[in-house]
Amino acid sequence: MTSRPERKSVGENSNTAKELLLLLILSTLWGASYSFIKVGVETIPPVTLIAARTVIAGLILTGVARWRGLNFPGDRRTWARFLFQACLNSVIPFTLIAWAEQTTDAGLAAILNSTSPIFAFLLTLLVTRHEAVTGCKLFGVAAGLLGTCLVVGMQALDGLGHQMWAQLAIVAATVCYAGAAIFGRNFKGLDPMLPAAGSLLCGAAILVPVSLALDQPWTLVPSTRSVLALLALSVVSTALAFVIYFRLVQTLGSIGTTAQAYLRVPIGVAIGILFLGETLASTAWLGLGCIVVGVAAMTLPAPRAARRHA
């Protein structure tokens, strides 16, 4: 007898719709972060902006972890790993992006930063070699790197010098994110909220003294616009986004959640165009298309073989 396919109940359909809506919200929150950074660095130095971001987001996530009844590990080895993860996932990349966005548009930052899955694959291929090499992934790498070259190579001609270095700094930040994704495999067995909060707190411990020494933040007079951008960046695009992300990992799975990696690119570009008046050259649009296709090829699941029926 052939079994009929089971129909999803109204509740199941509504739950799926809810999770997909959350995925869109997450993509929007992370896509908007580049515009928040762009506005924040108008009157707040990059190091101080990122130090405040890590402090605020780290304290919020710590509060959420406590509310959930989670306890941080007490051994030094785990906290050393939190510290290293902080360098890869917040201290270095956050600061590089904030510094770069003093001269680079938020839309370009969103495009360049979306290539992290591609660099993650290249690093695993060269270092850990645990990632299977497939034709689809190789195509994704080629398309993504081509897109990056189109964005950096052509855009840099309009601002040769400082702007080129700023865009390369964003690429370097993206490589850091890729390394963080690989190193994050060491936190298996821990609730994801703990390394997220722990690494942000460690990042704050590094950045706050640097901010005090370099910028003397008590002497700054930031605009209301920059302060609001900082709060939105910390509360909405970091703390809230992490909470939504961890929920989606449990409901949609890791593969489904990676869809935000290429959803956030057009969203980030659109926010920069609509709210900051940015424009993209034709080569940047072409590079955007190549990167979105490349990241999609890197993150979409391979087609399964015919399913076995019980």
Side-chain angles (χ1 to χ4, degrees):
M1 293 178 65
T2 58
S3 59
R4 295 180 181 179
E6 295 182 0
R7 294 183 179 179
K8 289 186 177 181
S9 66
V10 175
E12 288 175 330
N13 286 330
S14 63
N15 286 337
T16 301
K18 183 178 180 180
E19 301 308 315
L20 293 177
L21 176 61
L22 286 174
L23 184 66
L24 179 61
I25 292 173
L26 176 63
S27 302
T28 303
L29 296 181
W30 275 345
S33 65
Y34 304 99
S35 292
F36 291 145
I37 292 172
K38 182 70 175 177
V39 174
V41 294
E42 289 176 353
T43 58
I44 302 175
V47 173
T48 296
L49 180 79
I50 300 307
R53 176 187 184 180
T54 54
V55 168
I56 296 170
L59 291 176
I60 291 174
L61 288 181
T62 299
V64 173
R66 295 295 189 186
W67 176 72
R68 290 181 53 198
L70 300 175
N71 294 316
F72 285 97
D75 59 293
R76 292 184 180 180
R77 183 177 182 183
T78 300
W79 279 97
R81 289 177 174 176
F82 285 171
L83 182 63
F84 188 71
Q85 181 77 356
C87 293
L88 291 178
N89 207 37
S90 58
V91 175
I92 297 175
F94 282 4
T95 305
L96 285 175
I97 292 172
W99 173 80
E101 285 202 51
Q102 294 178 110
T103 55
T104 301
D105 286 345
L108 285 178
I111 294 173
L112 293 173
N113 202 224
S114 68
T115 57
S116 56
I118 295 168
F119 286 110
F121 174 74
L122 290 175
L123 288 176
T124 56
L125 185 64
L126 295 173
V127 181
T128 62
R129 299 184 180 181
H130 68 274
E131 189 78 23
V133 179
T134 65
C136 186
K137 289 182 177 180
L138 289 176
F139 168 77
V141 169
L145 293 179
L146 173 62
T148 303
C149 291
L150 284 171
V151 174
V152 175
M154 300 302 179
Q155 290 290 319
L157 296 178
D158 297 329
L160 191 62
H162 190 62
Q163 189 174 5
M164 181 185 69
W165 286 111
Q167 292 174 9
L168 291 177
I170 298 172
V171 175
T174 303
V175 176
C176 288
Y177 283 139
I182 296 171
F183 187 76
R185 296 167 62 239
N186 291 307
F187 299 116
K188 287 183 178 179
L190 283 178
D191 186 289
M193 186 69 69
L194 295 177
S199 63
L200 282 171
L201 292 177
C202 288
I206 297 173
L207 288 167
V208 168
V210 177
S211 168
L212 295 174
L214 290 182
D215 300 330
Q216 298 179 342
W218 59 88
T219 65
L220 300 175
V221 186
S223 66
T224 302
R225 171 181 162 99
S226 291
V227 172
L228 292 176
L230 167 60
L231 292 175
L233 176 67
S234 305
V235 178
V236 176
S237 290
T238 307
L240 178 59
F242 267 85
V243 173
I244 295 175
Y245 174 77
F246 295 140
R247 173 195 168 103
L248 291 175
V249 167
Q250 300 296 325
T251 56
L252 293 182
S254 58
I255 293 176
T257 308
T258 55
Q260 58 78 25
Y262 46 97
L263 284 174
R264 75 175 184 228
V265 185
I267 292 174
V269 171
I271 290 173
I273 291 174
L274 292 175
F275 296 99
L276 300 180
E278 298 178 350
T279 58
L280 289 181
S282 57
T283 51
W285 284 110
L286 182 58
L288 168 61
C290 290
I291 289 172
V292 170
V293 170
V295 174
M298 293 292 299
T299 55
L300 287 177
R304 294 181 178 180
R307 294 181 178 178
R308 295 179 181 179
H309 294 282

